[in-house]
Coordinates of all heavy atoms in Angstrom, one line a residue:
M1464 N -200.8 80.1 -80.2 CA -201.3 81.4 -79.8 C -202.2 81.2 -78.5 O -203.2 80.4 -78.6 CB -202.1 82.1 -80.9 CG -202.7 83.4 -80.6 SD -203.6 84.2 -82.0 CE -202.3 84.6 -83.1
D1465 N -201.9 81.9 -77.5 CA -202.8 81.8 -76.3 C -204.0 82.7 -76.4 O -204.2 83.4 -77.3 CB -202.0 82.0 -75.0 CG -201.6 83.5 -74.8 OD1 -202.1 84.4 -75.4 OD2 -200.6 83.7 -74.0
R1466 N -204.9 82.5 -75.4 CA -206.2 83.2 -75.4 C -206.0 84.8 -75.4 O -206.7 85.5 -76.2 CB -206.9 82.8 -74.2 CG -208.3 83.3 -74.2 CD -209.1 82.8 -72.9 NE -210.5 83.2 -73.0 CZ -211.4 82.6 -72.5 NH1 -211.2 81.5 -71.8 NH2 -212.7 83.0 -72.6
D1467 N -205.1 85.3 -74.7 CA -204.8 86.8 -74.6 C -204.3 87.3 -76.0 O -204.7 88.3 -76.5 CB -203.9 87.2 -73.5 CG -204.5 87.0 -72.1 OD1 -205.7 87.0 -72.0 OD2 -203.7 86.9 -71.2
Q1468 N -203.4 86.5 -76.6 CA -202.9 86.9 -77.9 C -204.0 86.9 -79.0 O -204.1 87.7 -79.8 CB -201.8 86.0 -78.3 CG -200.5 86.1 -77.5 CD -199.5 85.1 -77.9 OE1 -199.8 83.9 -78.1 NE2 -198.2 85.5 -77.9
L1469 N -204.9 85.9 -78.9 CA -206.0 85.8 -79.8 C -206.9 87.0 -79.6 O -207.4 87.6 -80.6 CB -206.8 84.5 -79.6 CG -208.0 84.3 -80.5 CD1 -207.6 84.3 -82.0 CD2 -208.7 83.0 -80.1
A1470 N -207.2 87.3 -78.4 CA -208.1 88.5 -78.1 C -207.5 89.7 -78.6 O -208.2 90.6 -79.2 CB -208.3 88.6 -76.6
Q1471 N -206.2 89.9 -78.5 CA -205.5 91.1 -79.0 C -205.5 91.1 -80.5 O -205.7 92.2 -81.1 CB -204.0 91.2 -78.5 CG -203.9 91.5 -77.0 CD -202.5 91.5 -76.5 OE1 -201.6 90.8 -77.1 NE2 -202.2 92.2 -75.4
A1472 N -205.3 90.0 -81.1 CA -205.3 89.9 -82.6 C -206.7 90.3 -83.1 O -206.9 91.0 -84.1 CB -204.9 88.6 -83.1
L1473 N -207.8 89.7 -82.4 CA -209.1 90.0 -82.9 C -209.5 91.5 -82.7 O -210.1 92.1 -83.6 CB -210.1 89.2 -82.0 CG -210.2 87.7 -82.4 CD1 -211.1 86.9 -81.4 CD2 -210.8 87.5 -83.8
M1474 N -209.0 92.1 -81.6 CA -209.3 93.5 -81.4 C -208.6 94.3 -82.4 O -209.2 95.3 -82.9 CB -208.9 93.9 -79.9 CG -209.2 95.3 -79.6 SD -210.9 95.8 -79.7 CE -211.5 95.1 -78.2
S1475 N -207.4 94.0 -82.7 CA -206.6 94.7 -83.7 C -207.3 94.7 -85.1 O -207.5 95.7 -85.8 CB -205.2 94.2 -83.8 OG -204.5 94.8 -84.8
T1476 N -207.8 93.5 -85.4 CA -208.5 93.4 -86.7 C -209.8 94.1 -86.7 O -210.2 94.8 -87.6 CB -208.8 91.9 -87.0 OG1 -207.5 91.2 -87.1 CG2 -209.6 91.7 -88.3
F1477 N -210.5 94.1 -85.5 CA -211.8 94.8 -85.4 C -211.6 96.3 -85.6 O -212.3 96.9 -86.3 CB -212.4 94.5 -84.0 CG -213.6 95.4 -83.7 CD1 -214.8 95.1 -84.1 CD2 -213.4 96.6 -82.9 CE1 -215.9 95.9 -83.9 CE2 -214.5 97.4 -82.6 CZ -215.7 97.1 -83.1
L1478 N -210.5 96.8 -85.0 CA -210.3 98.3 -85.1 C -209.9 98.7 -86.5 O -210.3 99.7 -87.0 CB -209.2 98.7 -84.1 CG -209.6 98.6 -82.6 CD1 -208.4 98.8 -81.7 CD2 -210.8 99.5 -82.3
E1479 N -209.1 97.8 -87.2 CA -208.8 98.1 -88.5 C -210.0 98.1 -89.4 O -210.2 99.0 -90.2 CB -207.8 97.1 -89.1 CG -206.4 97.2 -88.5 CD -205.5 96.1 -89.0 OE1 -205.8 95.5 -90.1 OE2 -204.5 95.8 -88.3
E1480 N -210.9 97.1 -89.3 CA -212.1 97.0 -90.1 C -213.1 98.1 -89.7 O -213.8 98.6 -90.6 CB -212.7 95.7 -89.9 CG -211.9 94.6 -90.6 CD -212.5 93.2 -90.4 OE1 -213.5 93.1 -89.7 OE2 -211.9 92.2 -91.0
L1481 N -213.1 98.5 -88.5 CA -214.0 99.5 -88.0 C -213.9 100.9 -88.8 O -214.8 101.5 -89.1 CB -213.9 99.8 -86.5 CG -214.9 100.7 -85.9 CD1 -216.3 100.2 -86.0 CD2 -214.6 100.9 -84.4
E1482 N -212.6 101.2 -89.1 CA -212.4 102.4 -89.8 C -213.1 102.4 -91.1 O -213.8 103.4 -91.5 CB -210.9 102.6 -90.1 CG -210.1 103.1 -88.9 CD -208.7 103.4 -89.2 OE1 -208.4 104.1 -90.1 OE2 -207.8 102.8 -88.5
G1483 N -213.0 101.3 -91.8 CA -213.7 101.2 -93.1 C -215.2 101.2 -93.0 O -215.9 101.8 -93.8
H1484 N -215.7 100.6 -91.9 CA -217.2 100.5 -91.7 C -217.7 101.9 -91.4 O -218.8 102.3 -91.8 CB -217.5 99.6 -90.6 CG -217.4 98.1 -90.9 ND1 -217.9 97.6 -92.1 CD2 -216.7 97.1 -90.3 CE1 -217.6 96.3 -92.1 NE2 -216.9 96.0 -91.0
V1485 N -217.0 102.7 -90.5 CA -217.4 104.0 -90.2 C -217.4 104.9 -91.4 O -218.3 105.7 -91.6 CB -216.5 104.6 -89.1 CG1 -216.8 106.1 -88.9 CG2 -216.8 103.9 -87.8
A1486 N -216.4 104.8 -92.3 CA -216.3 105.6 -93.5 C -217.5 105.2 -94.4 O -218.2 106.1 -95.0 CB -215.0 105.3 -94.2
A1487 N -217.8 103.9 -94.5 CA -219.0 103.5 -95.3 C -220.3 104.0 -94.7 O -221.2 104.5 -95.5 CB -219.0 102.0 -95.4
L1488 N -220.4 104.0 -93.4 CA -221.7 104.5 -92.8 C -221.8 106.0 -93.1 O -222.9 106.5 -93.4 CB -221.7 104.2 -91.3 CG -221.9 102.8 -90.9 CD1 -221.6 102.6 -89.4 CD2 -223.3 102.4 -91.2
N1489 N -220.7 106.7 -92.9 CA -220.8 108.2 -93.2 C -221.2 108.5 -94.6 O -222.0 109.3 -94.9 CB -219.4 108.8 -92.9 CG -219.2 109.0 -91.4 OD1 -220.2 109.2 -90.6 ND2 -218.0 108.9 -91.0
R1490 N -220.5 107.8 -95.6 CA -220.8 107.9 -97.0 C -222.2 107.6 -97.3 O -222.9 108.4 -98.0 CB -219.8 107.0 -97.8 CG -220.0 107.1 -99.3 CD -219.3 106.0 -100.0 NE -220.0 104.7 -99.7 CZ -219.4 103.6 -99.3 NH1 -218.0 103.6 -99.2 NH2 -220.0 102.5 -99.0
D1491 N -222.7 106.5 -96.8 CA -224.0 106.0 -97.2 C -225.1 106.9 -96.5 O -226.2 107.2 -97.1 CB -224.2 104.6 -96.8 CG -223.5 103.6 -97.8 OD1 -223.0 104.1 -98.8 OD2 -223.4 102.4 -97.5
L1492 N -224.9 107.3 -95.3 CA -225.8 108.2 -94.6 C -226.0 109.5 -95.3 O -227.1 110.0 -95.5 CB -225.4 108.4 -93.1 CG -225.7 107.3 -92.2 CD1 -225.1 107.5 -90.8 CD2 -227.3 107.2 -92.0
L1493 N -224.8 110.1 -95.7 CA -224.9 111.4 -96.5 C -225.6 111.2 -97.8 O -226.4 112.1 -98.2 CB -223.5 111.9 -96.7 CG -222.8 112.5 -95.4 CD1 -221.3 112.8 -95.7 CD2 -223.5 113.7 -94.8
A1494 N -225.3 110.1 -98.5 CA -226.0 109.9 -99.8 C -227.5 109.6 -99.6 O -228.3 110.0 -100.4 CB -225.3 108.7 -100.5
W1495 N -227.8 108.9 -98.5 CA -229.2 108.5 -98.2 C -230.0 109.8 -97.9 O -231.2 109.9 -98.3 CB -229.3 107.5 -97.1 CG -230.6 107.0 -96.8 CD1 -231.5 106.5 -97.6 CD2 -231.1 106.7 -95.5 NE1 -232.6 106.0 -97.0 CE2 -232.4 106.1 -95.6 CE3 -230.7 106.9 -94.2 CZ2 -233.2 105.8 -94.6 CZ3 -231.5 106.6 -93.1 CH2 -232.7 106.0 -93.3
E1496 N -229.4 110.7 -97.2 CA -230.0 112.0 -96.9 C -230.4 112.8 -98.1 O -231.4 113.4 -98.2 CB -229.1 112.8 -96.0 CG -229.6 114.1 -95.6 CD -228.6 114.9 -94.7 OE1 -227.4 115.0 -95.0 OE2 -229.1 115.5 -93.7
K1497 N -229.6 112.6 -99.2 CA -229.8 113.4 -100.4 C -230.7 112.6 -101.4 O -231.2 113.2 -102.4 CB -228.5 113.7 -101.1 CG -227.6 114.6 -100.3 CD -226.3 114.8 -100.9 CE -225.4 115.7 -100.0 NZ -224.0 115.9 -100.5
A1498 N -230.8 111.3 -101.3 CA -231.6 110.5 -102.2 C -233.1 110.7 -102.1 O -233.6 111.0 -101.0 CB -231.3 109.0 -102.0
P1499 N -233.8 110.7 -103.2 CA -235.2 110.9 -103.1 C -235.9 109.8 -102.3 O -235.5 108.6 -102.4 CB -235.7 110.8 -104.6 CG -234.5 111.1 -105.4 CD -233.3 110.6 -104.6
A1500 N -236.7 110.2 -101.4 CA -237.4 109.2 -100.5 C -238.1 108.2 -101.3 O -238.8 108.5 -102.3 CB -238.4 109.9 -99.5
G1501 N -238.0 106.9 -100.9 CA -238.7 105.8 -101.6 C -238.1 105.4 -102.9 O -238.6 104.5 -103.6
S1502 N -237.0 106.1 -103.4 CA -236.4 105.7 -104.7 C -235.6 104.4 -104.5 O -235.3 104.0 -103.4 CB -235.5 106.9 -105.1 OG -234.4 107.0 -104.3
G1503 N -235.3 103.9 -105.7 CA -234.4 102.7 -105.7 C -233.1 103.0 -105.0 O -232.5 102.1 -104.3
Q1504 N -232.5 104.1 -105.3 CA -231.3 104.5 -104.7 C -231.4 104.6 -103.2 O -230.5 104.1 -102.4 CB -230.8 105.9 -105.2 CG -229.5 106.4 -104.6 CD -229.2 107.8 -105.0 OE1 -230.0 108.6 -105.4 NE2 -227.9 108.2 -104.9
S1505 N -232.5 105.1 -102.7 CA -232.7 105.2 -101.2 C -232.8 103.8 -100.6 O -232.2 103.6 -99.6 CB -234.0 106.0 -101.0 OG -234.3 106.0 -99.6
R1506 N -233.5 102.9 -101.3 CA -233.6 101.6 -100.8 C -232.3 100.8 -100.8 O -232.0 100.1 -99.8 CB -234.7 100.8 -101.6 CG -236.1 101.2 -101.3 CD -237.1 100.3 -101.9 NE -237.0 100.3 -103.4 CZ -237.6 101.1 -104.2 NH1 -238.3 102.1 -103.7 NH2 -237.5 101.0 -105.5
E1507 N -231.5 101.0 -101.8 CA -230.2 100.4 -101.9 C -229.2 100.9 -100.8 O -228.5 100.2 -100.2 CB -229.5 100.6 -103.2 CG -230.2 99.8 -104.4 CD -229.6 100.2 -105.7 OE1 -228.5 100.8 -105.8 OE2 -230.3 99.9 -106.7
L1508 N -229.3 102.2 -100.6 CA -228.5 102.8 -99.5 C -228.9 102.3 -98.1 O -228.0 102.0 -97.3 CB -228.5 104.3 -99.6 CG -227.8 104.9 -100.8 CD1 -228.2 106.4 -101.0 CD2 -226.3 104.8 -100.5
L1509 N -230.2 102.2 -97.9 CA -230.7 101.7 -96.6 C -230.2 100.2 -96.4 O -229.8 99.9 -95.3 CB -232.2 101.8 -96.6 CG -232.9 101.4 -95.3 CD1 -232.3 102.1 -94.1 CD2 -234.4 101.6 -95.4
A1510 N -230.3 99.4 -97.5 CA -229.8 98.1 -97.4 C -228.3 98.0 -97.1 O -227.9 97.2 -96.3 CB -230.1 97.3 -98.7
S1511 N -227.6 98.9 -97.7 CA -226.1 98.9 -97.4 C -225.8 99.3 -96.0 O -225.0 98.8 -95.3 CB -225.5 99.9 -98.4 OG -224.1 100.0 -98.1
L1512 N -226.6 100.3 -95.5 CA -226.4 100.7 -94.1 C -226.7 99.6 -93.1 O -226.0 99.4 -92.2 CB -227.4 101.9 -93.8 CG -226.9 103.3 -94.4 CD1 -228.1 104.2 -94.4 CD2 -225.7 103.8 -93.6
L1513 N -227.8 98.9 -93.4 CA -228.1 97.7 -92.6 C -227.1 96.6 -92.6 O -226.7 96.1 -91.5 CB -229.5 97.1 -93.0 CG -230.7 97.9 -92.6 CD1 -231.9 97.5 -93.4 CD2 -230.9 97.6 -91.1
R1514 N -226.5 96.4 -93.8 CA -225.4 95.4 -93.8 C -224.2 95.8 -93.0 O -223.6 95.0 -92.3 CB -225.0 95.1 -95.3 CG -225.9 94.2 -96.1 CD -225.4 93.8 -97.4 NE -225.0 94.9 -98.2 CZ -225.9 95.6 -99.1 NH1 -227.1 95.2 -99.1 NH2 -225.4 96.6 -99.8
T1515 N -223.9 97.1 -93.1 CA -222.7 97.6 -92.4 C -222.9 97.5 -90.9 O -222.0 97.1 -90.2 CB -222.3 99.0 -92.9 OG1 -222.1 99.0 -94.3 CG2 -221.1 99.5 -92.2
V1516 N -224.1 98.0 -90.5 CA -224.4 98.0 -89.0 C -224.4 96.6 -88.5 O -223.9 96.3 -87.4 CB -225.7 98.7 -88.7 CG1 -226.1 98.5 -87.3 CG2 -225.6 100.2 -89.0
H1517 N -224.9 95.7 -89.3 CA -225.0 94.2 -88.9 C -223.6 93.7 -88.8 O -223.3 92.9 -87.8 CB -225.8 93.4 -89.9 CG -226.1 92.0 -89.5 ND1 -227.0 91.7 -88.5 CD2 -225.5 90.9 -89.9 CE1 -227.0 90.4 -88.3 NE2 -226.1 89.9 -89.1
S1518 N -222.7 94.0 -89.7 CA -221.3 93.6 -89.6 C -220.6 94.1 -88.4 O -219.9 93.3 -87.7 CB -220.6 94.0 -90.9 OG -221.1 93.4 -92.0
V1519 N -220.8 95.3 -88.1 CA -220.1 95.9 -86.9 C -220.7 95.3 -85.6 O -220.0 95.0 -84.7 CB -220.3 97.5 -86.9 CG1 -219.7 98.0 -85.6 CG2 -219.6 98.1 -88.1
K1520 N -222.0 95.0 -85.6 CA -222.6 94.4 -84.5 C -222.0 93.0 -84.2 O -221.6 92.7 -83.1 CB -224.1 94.3 -84.7 CG -224.9 93.6 -83.5 CD -226.4 93.6 -83.7 CE -226.7 92.4 -84.7 NZ -228.2 92.2 -84.8
G1521 N -221.9 92.2 -85.2 CA -221.3 90.9 -85.1 C -219.8 90.9 -84.7 O -219.4 90.2 -83.8
A1522 N -219.1 91.8 -85.3 CA -217.7 92.0 -85.0 C -217.5 92.4 -83.5 O -216.6 92.0 -82.8 CB -217.0 92.9 -86.0
S1523 N -218.3 93.4 -83.1 CA -218.2 93.9 -81.7 C -218.5 92.8 -80.7 O -217.9 92.7 -79.6 CB -219.0 95.1 -81.5 OG -220.4 94.8 -81.7
R1524 N -219.5 91.9 -81.1 CA -219.8 90.8 -80.2 C -218.6 89.8 -80.1 O -218.3 89.4 -79.0 CB -221.0 90.0 -80.7 CG -221.4 88.9 -79.8 CD -222.6 88.1 -80.4 NE -223.7 88.9 -80.8 CZ -224.3 89.0 -82.0 NH1 -223.8 88.2 -82.9 NH2 -225.3 89.8 -82.2
A1525 N -217.9 89.7 -81.2 CA -216.7 88.8 -81.2 C -215.6 89.2 -80.3 O -214.8 88.4 -79.8 CB -216.2 88.6 -82.6
V1526 N -215.5 90.6 -80.1 CA -214.4 91.1 -79.3 C -214.9 91.6 -78.0 O -214.3 92.4 -77.3 CB -213.6 92.2 -80.0 CG1 -212.8 91.7 -81.2 CG2 -214.5 93.4 -80.5
S1527 N -216.2 91.2 -77.6 CA -216.8 91.5 -76.3 C -216.9 93.0 -76.0 O -216.7 93.5 -74.9 CB -216.0 90.8 -75.2 OG -215.9 89.5 -75.4
L1528 N -217.4 93.7 -77.1 CA -217.7 95.2 -76.9 C -219.2 95.3 -76.8 O -219.8 95.7 -77.8 CB -217.1 96.0 -78.0 CG -215.5 96.1 -78.0 CD1 -215.1 96.9 -79.2 CD2 -215.0 96.7 -76.7
G1529 N -219.7 95.0 -75.7 CA -221.2 95.0 -75.5 C -221.9 96.3 -75.8 O -223.0 96.3 -76.3
M1530 N -221.3 97.4 -75.4 CA -221.9 98.7 -75.6 C -222.0 99.0 -77.1 O -223.0 99.4 -77.6 CB -221.1 99.8 -74.9 CG -221.7 101.2 -75.1 SD -223.3 101.4 -74.3 CE -222.7 101.5 -72.6
V1531 N -220.9 98.7 -77.9 CA -221.0 98.9 -79.3 C -222.0 98.0 -80.0 O -222.8 98.4 -80.8 CB -219.6 98.7 -80.0 CG1 -219.6 98.8 -81.5 CG2 -218.6 99.7 -79.4
E1532 N -222.0 96.7 -79.5 CA -223.0 95.8 -80.0 C -224.5 96.3 -79.8 O -225.3 96.2 -80.6 CB -222.8 94.4 -79.4 CG -223.8 93.4 -79.8 CD -223.7 92.0 -79.1 OE1 -222.7 91.9 -78.2 OE2 -224.5 91.2 -79.3
A1533 N -224.7 96.8 -78.6 CA -226.0 97.3 -78.2 C -226.4 98.5 -79.0 O -227.6 98.6 -79.5 CB -226.1 97.6 -76.7
V1534 N -225.5 99.4 -79.3 CA -225.8 100.6 -80.1 C -226.1 100.1 -81.5 O -227.1 100.6 -82.2 CB -224.6 101.6 -80.0 CG1 -224.8 102.6 -81.1 CG2 -224.5 102.2 -78.7
C1535 N -225.3 99.2 -82.0 CA -225.6 98.7 -83.4 C -226.9 98.0 -83.5 O -227.6 98.2 -84.5 CB -224.4 97.8 -83.8 SG -222.9 98.6 -84.2
H1536 N -227.2 97.2 -82.5 CA -228.5 96.6 -82.5 C -229.7 97.6 -82.5 O -230.6 97.4 -83.3 CB -228.7 95.7 -81.3 CG -229.9 94.9 -81.2 ND1 -230.2 93.8 -82.0 CD2 -231.0 95.1 -80.4 CE1 -231.4 93.4 -81.7 NE2 -231.9 94.1 -80.8
R1537 N -229.6 98.6 -81.7 CA -230.6 99.6 -81.7 C -230.7 100.4 -83.1 O -231.8 100.6 -83.6 CB -230.4 100.6 -80.6 CG -231.4 101.7 -80.5 CD -232.8 101.1 -80.1 NE -233.8 102.1 -80.1 CZ -234.9 102.1 -80.8 NH1 -235.2 101.1 -81.6 NH2 -235.7 103.1 -80.8
L1538 N -229.6 100.7 -83.6 CA -229.5 101.4 -84.9 C -230.1 100.5 -86.0 O -230.9 100.9 -86.9 CB -228.1 101.8 -85.3 CG -227.9 102.5 -86.6 CD1 -228.8 103.7 -86.8 CD2 -226.5 102.9 -86.8
E1539 N -229.8 99.2 -85.9 CA -230.4 98.2 -86.8 C -231.9 98.2 -86.7 O -232.6 98.2 -87.7 CB -229.8 96.8 -86.5 CG -229.8 95.9 -87.6 CD -229.1 94.6 -87.2 OE1 -229.1 94.2 -86.0 OE2 -228.5 94.0 -88.1
E1540 N -232.5 98.3 -85.5 CA -233.9 98.3 -85.3 C -234.5 99.5 -85.9 O -235.6 99.5 -86.5 CB -234.2 98.2 -83.8 CG -234.0 96.9 -83.1 CD -234.2 96.9 -81.6 OE1 -234.2 98.0 -81.0 OE2 -234.4 95.9 -81.1
V1541 N -233.9 100.7 -85.7 CA -234.4 101.9 -86.3 C -234.4 101.9 -87.8 O -235.4 102.2 -88.5 CB -233.5 103.1 -85.8 CG1 -233.9 104.4 -86.6 CG2 -233.7 103.3 -84.3
L1542 N -233.3 101.4 -88.4 CA -233.2 101.3 -89.9 C -234.2 100.3 -90.4 O -234.8 100.6 -91.5 CB -231.8 100.9 -90.3 CG -230.7 102.0 -90.0 CD1 -229.3 101.4 -90.3 CD2 -230.9 103.2 -90.9
L1543 N -234.4 99.2 -89.7 CA -235.5 98.3 -90.2 C -236.9 98.9 -90.1 O -237.7 98.6 -91.0 CB -235.4 97.0 -89.3 CG -234.2 96.1 -89.6 CD1 -234.1 95.0 -88.6 CD2 -234.4 95.4 -91.0
S1544 N -237.1 99.7 -89.1 CA -238.4 100.4 -89.0 C -238.6 101.3 -90.2 O -239.7 101.4 -90.7 CB -238.5 101.2 -87.7 OG -238.6 100.3 -86.6
V1545 N -237.5 102.0 -90.5 CA -237.6 102.9 -91.7 C -237.9 102.1 -92.9 O -238.7 102.5 -93.8 CB -236.3 103.8 -91.8 CG1 -236.3 104.5 -93.1 CG2 -236.2 104.7 -90.6
Q1546 N -237.2 101.0 -93.1 CA -237.3 100.1 -94.2 C -238.7 99.7 -94.4 O -239.3 99.6 -95.5 CB -236.3 99.0 -94.1 CG -236.2 98.1 -95.4 CD -235.2 97.0 -95.2 OE1 -235.3 96.3 -94.3 NE2 -234.3 96.9 -96.2
R1547 N -239.4 99.4 -93.3 CA -240.8 98.9 -93.3 C -241.8 100.0 -93.4 O -243.0 99.8 -93.5 CB -241.1 98.1 -92.0 CG -240.3 96.8 -91.9 CD -240.7 96.1 -90.6 NE -239.7 95.2 -90.2 CZ -239.0 95.3 -89.0 NH1 -239.3 96.2 -88.2 NH2 -238.1 94.4 -88.8
G1548 N -241.3 101.3 -93.4 CA -242.2 102.4 -93.6 C -242.8 102.9 -92.3 O -243.9 103.5 -92.3
Q1549 N -242.3 102.5 -91.2 CA -242.9 102.8 -89.9 C -242.3 104.1 -89.3 O -241.2 104.4 -89.5 CB -242.6 101.7 -88.9 CG -243.3 100.4 -89.3 CD -242.9 99.2 -88.5 OE1 -241.9 99.2 -87.8 NE2 -243.7 98.2 -88.5

């Protein structure tokens, strides 16, 4: 497999996985919005959101999607601030 084929295969995998990640983010954000603030459920959902965003950030780096990586990094920062109570 040459470099271009590898890049295409990685991008194809990224796009397939992205659908699941976006669905998980939507599901968890909606549930987090309804969860009582500071509850165990709220903390678990926040942790799940952080894991998903971190996964997308790493995968986007692997396929050289700098803009997606930057957005994920910023979202991760915001979620970590919320987690710390800031």
Side-chain angles (χ1 to χ4, degrees):
M1464 180 178 289
D1465 69 18
R1466 188 178 185 155
D1467 289 337
Q1468 289 173 323
L1469 178 59
Q1471 287 176 338
L1473 284 172
M1474 181 61 76
S1475 178
T1476 300
F1477 171 80
L1478 292 172
E1479 287 175 26
E1480 291 179 357
L1481 185 61
E1482 285 185 52
H1484 289 311
V1485 169
L1488 287 170
N1489 284 330
R1490 179 195 66 229
D1491 290 348
L1492 281 169
L1493 289 171
W1495 188 41
E1496 182 179 43
K1497 295 175 184 176
S1502 68
Q1504 179 187 20
S1505 178
R1506 288 189 298 274
E1507 287 175 19
L1508 288 163
L1509 183 55
S1511 178
L1512 287 163
L1513 280 163
R1514 281 190 304 274
T1515 303
V1516 170
H1517 187 76
S1518 294
V1519 174
K1520 181 178 77 171
S1523 64
R1524 184 181 307 124
V1526 293
S1527 301
L1528 291 177
M1530 181 67 76
V1531 175
E1532 180 185 355
V1534 168
C1535 288
H1536 181 75
R1537 182 65 184 122
L1538 180 54
E1539 206 173 30
E1540 290 175 339
V1541 170
L1542 293 171
L1543 284 169
S1544 292
V1545 170
Q1546 189 178 50
R1547 292 183 203 118
Q1549 299 171 338

